[in-house]
Amino acid sequence: MLEQLQKAAFDYFLEYVDAGTGLVADTSRPNSPASISVVGFALSCYPIGVERGWIARAEAAAIVLKVLCFFAGSAQSEAADATGYKGFYYHFLDMRTGRRVWQCELSMIDSTLLFAGFLTAATYFSGATPDETEIRALADQLYRRVDWQWAQNKSTTVAQGWKPECGFLRVAWEGYSEATMLYVLGLASPGFPLPDSSFTGWTATYQWENIYGYEYLYAGPLFIHLFSHAWIDFRGIQDRFMREKGCDYFENSRRAVAIQREYAARNPYGFISYGPNLWGITAGDGPGNSELRESGRDRRFFGYTDRGVPYGRDDGTLAPWAMVAALPFSPPGAVAAVRRVLMENPAIAAGNRLSSAFNPSVIDRGGWISEGHDGLDQGIVAMMIENYRSGFFWQLMRSCPYIAAGLKRAGFDGGWLAP
């Protein structure tokens, strides 16, 4: 089952890639632009294909090199239709031209996921062939030019985004989130590194909670507890915050999954199908903004929103990909949840590729399943299945000098970081 789900997820990055730029579509829906974070996942996943025998090494290297050449030659300026600025990139790009679309933001977190892909490719393609040699050189060049200090906007923490029309967005990366990777790569930068105080300032905004008897670093949406773990092995390594709590980030994610399962078992709003073997409440698509009466209750449903538990929004929408991506933290719970999904509603995984979300509580529509597939979902599924099966990315990225350097500057020690 996992082999089939992983292969279908990997194939997304071969099916929805532009032949000229190497950019990958945000979703499988018609006319979707590229998402730079999806490109980062694609660059990370191509090595899985090589290791699993799904693509030849030379072919994978050629695709990766095409992407890196595109970004190295793309327009970096304050112009409204550039590809990026200050080494960062706009969230959504035209698949063919690579220019900014939708007046989207220059995204620091989505750029970070792209950079993680650059560094994964550079670490994996270590051969002496011309293509692999150039991959390493370009990835290093692109990473070195990122101006993380500018992204602080004269503050301690890092801004979430910037637009040429109005400057920096008013929100910064504060509170525990997927931005762990952002701070690690920002601290490790050999060009314009973040100061140590930025990570200390970020962790000062954390929220430690006791929920259902579990003490953990709170974040409602499940994806937050998954994304940075795709690349970094947090088992047994601790920063100052986690040392004081007697915990680590891997254990924290394990507790987050346990809380998701307990919340679904308690099912405080009485949604259909919730239970300890059906959970996965996170940010993502939904059935749409509407109010319906179902099972004697007035229900409020949402479109795309940041669902989370126990304090966030919950409208009965579940993400099957999040269940799979939680495999390393709760193998029995994740496998049981996925088996139940596939048994009760095979349409959620048509062709073995998981949909982004489903909501069985939308009775008037016979249950709701999201349209098409999202590249982010496929990327995290492919990577976390591989980490569960072999620990591939965790082992690979231990040898990336920037990952180790960033973690150490953030104050992490112990485990595999120990001398």
Side-chain angles (χ1 to χ4, degrees), residues 43 46-47 50 55-69 121 124-126 129-135:
L43 292 172
Y46 292 133
V50 176
I55 186 173
R57 185 181 182 99
E59 182 182 357
I63 296 173
V64 169
L65 183 57
K66 181 186 299 181
V67 176
L68 292 172
C69 286
Y124 179 76
F125 291 103
S126 57
T129 67
D131 278 4
E132 297 197 19
T133 300
E134 191 172 2
I135 284 171

Side-chain angles (χ1 to χ4, degrees), residues 189-231:
S189 170
F192 306 92
L194 293 173
D196 293 352
S197 59
S198 66
F199 189 79
T200 304
W202 181 50
T203 58
T205 67
Y206 280 1
Q207 180 180 346
W208 188 258
E209 295 276 357
N210 187 308
I211 298 173
Y212 305 145
Y214 294 98
E215 290 200 353
Y216 86 127
L217 178 55
Y218 176 77
L222 184 55
F223 86 94
I224 286 175
H225 299 280
L226 306 175
F227 268 40
S228 293
H229 293 261
W231 291 274

Side-chain angles (χ1 to χ4, degrees), residues 6 10 41-52 57 119-121 123-125 229-233 235 328 382-400:
Q6 187 183 26
F10 169 80
F41 273 107
L43 292 172
S44 300
C45 286
Y46 292 133
I48 300 175
V50 176
E51 293 297 305
R52 293 283 169 189
R57 185 181 182 99
L119 297 178
T120 302
T123 306
Y124 179 76
F125 291 103
H229 293 261
W231 291 274
I232 301 177
D233 183 3
R235 294 174 296 180
M383 291 184 72
M384 293 304 266
I385 287 178
E386 193 58 42
N387 278 331
Y388 169 70
R389 298 178 78 182
S390 69
F392 173 77
F393 291 102
W394 293 336
Q395 190 65 38
L396 177 71
M397 299 311 285
R398 286 184 183 186
S399 60
C400 174

